[in-house]
Amino acid sequence: MPDARDDIFFMRRALRLAARGRGRVEPNPMVGCVIARDGRILGEGYHRKFGGPHAEIDALRRCELNTRAATFYVTLEPCCVTGKTPPCTDALIAAGPRRVVAAVRDPNPRIRGRGLRALRRAGIRVEVGVLAREAADLIAPYAKLTRHKRPWVILKWAQSIDGRIATRCGDARWISDKDMRAHAQRTRADLDAIIVGSGTVLADDPALTCRIIRPRRVATRVVLDSRLRTPARARLVRTARKVPTWVFCGGGAPRVRARALEQAGCVIHRVPTDDGNLSLAAVLDVLGQRDMTNVLVEGGGRLLGRFFDQRLADELHVYIAPLLIGGRDAVGALDGLGSARIREALSLEQPGPMRRIGSGWLLQTRLHSRSG
Ligand code: AOF
Ligand code: ZN
């Protein structure tokens, strides 16, 4: 008789393996697999890189013993289609397991339950739903891209305890300390795009790259610049041939400016504007069409505020420094229209934990519950 505690134990192990694919497999899902029999692990694996063998195949290859009558724990329903690799369901059926336990169904419309049905038709016992919440959390960006063709949007900023991201004079160097800034730079290594407003380019001239570790993926730098104010001498533009740099502008932005940026190696995207502001939905649609799965909005406050006001964000990374800046005119983190009433404020059902980093704290949290 399978023990429910064993199921949870092995699935938890499979989830931990799956997470090792972060930054390496997107736009595919991170997936892990554990093969067990009589309470013992026979083999384990995960989806290691985009286009490479899926988790089940990786686990089977690392399995020295025969897998007959074993149980396969997979964090995602096995695929039943030929993509870059043959269907995992065929390999599973050939391995002759007694049971396959999946955490969640694959939201990919080509699969969505068909993989599980194929296994059942072959006489294998199939169960779904073990640690489903954890697995859904892990693949939430993949699921969003698959369902809505838009990337998972993370808002990031560094603030004082009183919620300011710059002083009344616009000074922000540095609110967060070296450790917090290093942590923020490392997160860039797993992302597909880093988005900033043109005001931030003009004020800070940022590089937006990850210089601490070799990034697993090189994030495209995205500037939202409706009128193309970004100067050719900006660091982003000068390095555009080395690191992909996209500038989004409105239909009416000057063509000479667009040409100058293109000549420097930037890619220009024209999107609709609303009251002079770029349509953020249109920007996300373009990024989603390019299969970008995780994007980070780094500021400034105006841009963060627009993402917040339009409820287009999925997650927050807030670095909180032990500082009090004060001042009515100091810039707030979400410098848009904001909520008129407290009951209209965005209230987090399950806020994530606060962690100590350097001299301050990091709050990483999702903004909505898992249903989406
Ligand atoms: C699995 N196990 O480890 C993963 C699955 O051919 P690909 O690699 O592009 O993948 C095709 C689809 O397989 C992908 O869109 C997703 O639905 C599923 N991913 N399936 O059985 C895995 N990564
Ligand atoms: Zn597969």
Side-chain angles (χ1 to χ4, degrees):
M1 256 318 272
D3 183 330
R5 275 177 317 185
D6 278 4
D7 285 356
I8 289 170
F9 177 85
F10 292 128
M11 190 62 86
R12 187 152 284 140
R13 173 88 198 134
L15 279 165
R16 269 204 296 275
L17 289 161
R20 293 191 193 165
R22 190 182 308 283
R24 298 189 163 97
V25 299
E26 298 84 358
N28 270 342
M30 290 175 254
V31 184
C33 174
V34 168
I35 309 172
R37 187 171 50 212
D38 302 326
R40 287 235 181 83
I41 294 181
L42 306 181
E44 55 183 31
Y46 65 100
H47 191 199
R48 288 164 193 266
K49 63 170 200 202
F50 180 78
H54 285 180
E56 300 86 327
I57 310 305
D58 188 53
L60 272 166
R61 285 185 188 164
R62 279 155 214 282
C63 203
E64 279 168 13
L65 298 170
N66 179 318
T67 55
R68 275 207 181 272
T71 298
F72 280 69
Y73 295 90
V74 277
T75 60
L76 183 77
E77 165 183 15
C79 69
C80 53
V81 293
T82 302
K84 288 170 206 67
T85 61
C88 288
T89 46
D90 291 354
L92 284 183
I93 292 166
R98 177 169 299 144
R99 288 167 79 219
V100 172
V101 181
V104 283
R105 282 194 175 75
D106 189 340
N108 179 346
R110 294 175 64 211
I111 301 171
R112 216 155 52 190
R114 288 190 193 93
L116 299 175
R117 274 202 296 276
L119 297 173
R120 285 199 181 104
R121 269 201 307 273
I124 300 169
R125 261 180 59 198
V126 174
E127 284 153 58
V128 221
V130 174
L131 297 184
R133 280 167 147 248
E134 289 82 348
D137 269 359
L138 188 72
I139 61 157
Y142 159 79
K144 183 182 178 192
L145 184 69
T146 303
R147 294 195 182 110
H148 307 296
K149 215 55 197 153
R150 279 194 189 165
W152 185 261
V153 177
I154 305 167
L155 305 186
K156 176 230 138 177
W157 68 84
Q159 67 167 52
S160 57
I161 289 179
D162 56 325
R164 266 68 170 200
I165 63 166
T167 68
R168 69 187 145 82
C169 303
D171 185 26
R173 283 217 167 123
W174 294 102
I175 290 180
S176 49
D177 68 13
K178 266 191 12 232
D179 292 335
M180 292 190 239
R181 296 205 303 278
H183 185 276
Q185 209 182 106
R186 271 196 301 274
T187 20
R188 289 179 179 153
D190 295 333
L191 301 165
D192 298 299
I194 315 286
I195 305 174
V196 290
S198 52
T200 296
V201 176
L202 290 169
D204 299 346
D205 196 20
L208 305 181
T209 49
C210 173
R211 302 170 298 275
I212 297 175
I213 50 169
R214 221 181 74 193
R216 288 183 271 249
R217 51 210 303 123
V218 176
T220 298
R221 302 172 304 181
V222 172
V223 184
L224 304 193
D225 185 4
S226 59
R227 289 172 289 139
L228 288 183
R229 301 186 298 159
T230 300
R233 62 170 189 282
R235 212 174 332 169
L236 292 181
V237 179
R238 283 190 280 116
T239 54
R241 294 202 187 282
K242 283 196 230 120
V243 184
T245 308
W246 295 1
V247 184
F248 283 76
C249 64
R255 290 189 185 286
V256 280
R257 299 276 326 122
R259 218 167 303 129
L261 293 175
E262 274 169 347
Q263 271 162 9
C266 301
V267 177
I268 305 288
H269 292 277
R270 290 188 187 262
V271 291
T273 49
D274 181 17
D275 248 358
N277 287 317
L278 295 181
S279 158
L280 298 182
V283 170
L284 293 180
D285 285 338
V286 172
L287 303 182
Q289 279 153 17
R290 304 296 197 285
D291 271 345
M292 288 190 176
T293 316
N294 292 286
V295 302
L296 186 77
V297 183
E298 286 220 6
R302 297 278 292 283
L303 186 61
L304 291 165
R306 291 186 63 225
F307 271 95
F308 169 71
D309 286 342
Q310 295 178 38
R311 301 293 190 259
L312 287 171
D314 301 294
E315 187 171 326
L316 297 183
H317 293 183
V318 184
Y319 294 88
I320 304 169
L323 287 176
L324 296 159
I325 293 175
R328 172 184 313 151
D329 295 330
V331 186
L334 300 175
D335 195 16
L337 191 59
S339 318
R341 297 174 177 283
I342 294 299
R343 68 178 147 76
E344 290 159 15
L346 186 62
S347 153
L348 308 191
E349 282 167 36
Q350 291 170 312
M354 194 87 95
R355 278 201 278 152
R356 282 303 308 239
I357 299 221
S359 62
W361 304 266
L362 168 63
L363 172 68
Q364 283 184 320
T365 190
R366 298 207 163 172
L367 290 177
H368 42 68
S369 47
R370 295 162 176 90
S371 53

